[in-house]
Each structure stands twice: as structure tokens, then as C-alpha cells.
Amino acid sequence: MDRWQAMRIFAKVAETASFAQTARLLHMSPPAVTRAVAALEETIGARLLIRTTRSVKLTEAGSRYYEDCRRILTDIAEAESAAAGSNATPSGTLAVTASVMFGRMHVLPIVTDYLDTYPTMAARTLFVDRPVSIVEEGIDVAIRIGHLTDSGFTAARVGSVRHVICGAPDYFARHGVPTTPADLKRHRIAVSTGAFASPEWRFGRNERVIVHPTLQGNTNEVSIGAARSGWGLARVLNYQIAPDLRDGRLQIVLADYEESPLPVHVLYPEGRHAPAKVRTFVDLAVSRLRANRTLN
């Protein structure tokens, strides 16, 4: 096995922390992956990975070697793409992830316009309300809401969103308008039981309220629908109810107590070495999202 292939296998093991998953991703047998890494370690004369029955971790030498491998493999891929012309023309399948509602409302229209612009391209979307591992799930571009951890990926900020309390005008006419977060205890509350749900609602000015919802739904659409019907109040991100706010079906209350906005980023792994399909999509997504008045 040549050195380039061995480096490619080692880098994938380092990224997935799994020999078995690397074998599946590279369409190899697990013993072949193990032999390739062992041969690489023997050639280098240093142990690159610590293997236990439950985990695979990089040694100190392995961490340094992985960074060098990643740079070298990226340079090789870029050189090959440039020689073949694929660095100038998008090709293949683009994988994009976002949260469910944001994906449906704001990302899907960008994806379909992108496919219209590049008809030889294909796309795969993963719209889920859970953390997504970009590397393990084969994602090219992620749109993330919230403060980013230090992932080492390239991120372009495209706007921000806010947590807001909303209700229908006829609900406020019948039950009154809350003027402080503590007033929420006297109102009917509908919530989502999604991955990031919490009974503690935090506000600016260090205000916190433990809510006791009367209605719980497994999607944001449930709490928004309940608020829209005049049944009760909901706490959502402002982009999720932008059409209802414009049409007057919902109103925001307690705006003076809102937390600081959450940033929205377009995130991708390869940086300046990204293939044409990623760079062209990122350019379109950043331009469209920054022009979106709901986010800016």
C-alpha cells in the first residue's frame, strides 16, 4: 500500500476514532485498516494511536502527524481537482445540515436555487434538531444557530436570531399582557420538548423563570400553532414566527427582557481548500442569508 493511501486511512481513523467506521467509509475490511495503520507506524517509527477495547485516541506524535497528513492530503486533492478542472466546476453531491424549521424556511430555498444554477449537481439535506457531527455524518456545509465551540472549521457569520415570547392578540385581550417574566406563571404555556428544551427560561437582566407548561409538543410547530390559535403563549426564535408577526397573527411581549441574540453561522470544514461545490454553495448561502431581513 502506498504512503498516500496509508496516510488517508490513518487520517480517517483519527477523525472517526474508529477502525470499524473507517473501514465502512473507505469500503475496506477492518483488518486491512488495522494493517495499514500498523505499517505506517512501523515505517515512521512512532506510535500514532492508542487502542483500547472502547476507544481510539491519538498519541502526541499522532496528533502532530495527523495535522500534517490533513494538510498534505488537502493539497493533493486540490492539485488533482485543479488538474481535472473540478476545482472550477461544481460536481458531485452536496450535503447540507441545519435545524428543522430553519432548514425548511431558509436553507431549502437556497439549496433548490443552487441546484437550478448547477443542474449537474445533486444535494442531500439533513434537517434535524440535534447536534450533528460534520465529519462523521459526511456533511459539507452546516448552518448553525448559537455560539460556536472551537471546531477548527471555517465559519461565516450571516446574522442573528432572538428568543421571544409570543401570543395572539385575542389571547392578550382575554388574559392580559405579561409585563415581567414572573407574570408568565399566571399564563398558559405551550412548549416544545426538543433536544434543547429546558423548563428554565432565561431572560436578560439575569431574570430566570421555571415554567410549568400546560401543553407539550414534540415540534416547535405545536407550540407556535397553539399560540397562533389564541390558546396560550410560546417561547420561540423570532425567525420561526416572522410570517405571523408580519401578518399580525402573533405579537411579541417582554421584549425588554430578551437575552442577547444568538449568532447564525455558515460552517464548513475545508476553508480555502474547499472543493468547488462547497465554495459556490457557501457563497450563495452567505449572500442570501445576510440579505435576509429576519436575520439582520
Side-chain angles (χ1 to χ4, degrees):
M1 182 177 296
D2 62 40
R3 182 71 61 84
W4 175 84
Q5 178 69 352
M7 291 170 64
R8 177 170 171 259
I9 294 169
F10 163 72
K12 187 61 67 176
V13 173
E15 290 166 0
T16 62
S18 169
F19 281 79
Q21 186 171 353
T22 295
R24 288 194 298 271
L25 292 173
L26 299 182
H27 305 290
M28 300 174 63
S29 68
V33 171
T34 300
R35 287 194 300 270
V37 173
L40 190 61
E41 289 178 322
E42 183 176 352
T43 300
I44 294 171
R47 191 175 187 184
L48 302 175
L49 297 166
I50 299 173
R51 310 162 180 80
T52 69
T53 55
R54 294 186 177 181
S55 66
V56 176
K57 296 182 179 179
L58 289 166
T59 63
E60 184 177 349
S63 294
R64 292 194 301 268
Y65 188 67
Y66 167 67
E67 292 301 324
D68 290 336
C69 282
R70 189 170 66 168
R71 173 179 52 78
I72 292 168
L73 292 171
T74 299
D75 288 343
I76 292 173
E78 187 178 47
E80 291 177 343
S81 295
S86 63
N87 204 41
T89 304
S91 61
T93 299
L94 182 79
V96 183
T97 188
S99 59
V100 174
M101 285 194 70
F102 195 91
R104 175 176 58 80
M105 295 175 69
H106 297 303
V107 179
L108 181 58
I110 299 174
V111 171
T112 53
D113 285 352
Y114 178 80
L115 295 177
D116 286 341
T117 304
Y118 300 101
T120 60
M121 282 291 301
R124 173 173 65 90
T125 62
L126 180 62
F127 297 157
V128 290
D129 292 330
R130 62 168 174 81
V132 173
S133 171
I134 291 177
V135 173
E136 291 183 7
E137 302 199 38
I139 298 298
D140 295 305
V141 182
I143 290 81
R144 293 273 170 85
I145 296 175
H147 300 286
L148 299 176
T149 58
D150 184 13
S151 63
F153 297 152
T154 301
R157 180 163 175 160
V158 293
S160 62
V161 296
R162 312 181 332 267
H163 276 116
V164 298
I165 308 297
C166 66
D170 61 330
Y171 175 86
F172 294 127
R174 288 182 283 112
H175 299 283
V177 176
T179 57
T180 68
D183 292 342
L184 294 173
K185 296 179 179 180
R186 299 194 296 271
H187 288 265
R188 291 197 294 194
I189 303 293
V191 301
S192 165
T193 57
F196 303 102
S198 170
E200 182 182 71
W201 287 2
R202 298 185 179 187
F203 297 86
R205 308 183 190 182
N206 293 320
E207 295 266 1
R208 300 184 182 190
V209 173
I210 301 295
V211 297
H212 301 283
T214 310
L215 174 62
Q216 300 182 47
N218 66 320
T219 67
N220 289 310
E221 283 88 348
V222 171
S223 56
I224 293 171
R228 187 188 295 126
S229 71
W231 180 87
L233 304 182
R235 187 174 191 243
V236 297
L237 292 172
N238 66 300
Y239 82 85
Q240 297 171 334
I241 57 169
D244 297 295
L245 295 174
R246 286 194 297 268
D247 296 339
R249 292 188 294 265
L250 289 173
Q251 296 176 352
I252 291 175
V253 295
L254 300 176
D256 291 341
Y257 290 89
E258 289 177 7
E259 287 185 294
S260 299
L262 296 171
V264 180
H265 289 92
V266 175
L267 193 68
Y268 55 106
E270 296 95 340
R272 66 184 180 87
H273 296 296
K277 67 176 182 178
V278 172
R279 289 187 285 105
T280 50
F281 180 79
V282 167
D283 288 345
L284 177 63
V286 168
S287 174
R288 288 277 292 272
L289 293 172
R290 284 178 177 170
N292 189 320
R293 296 181 62 183
T294 301
L295 309 178
N296 295 276

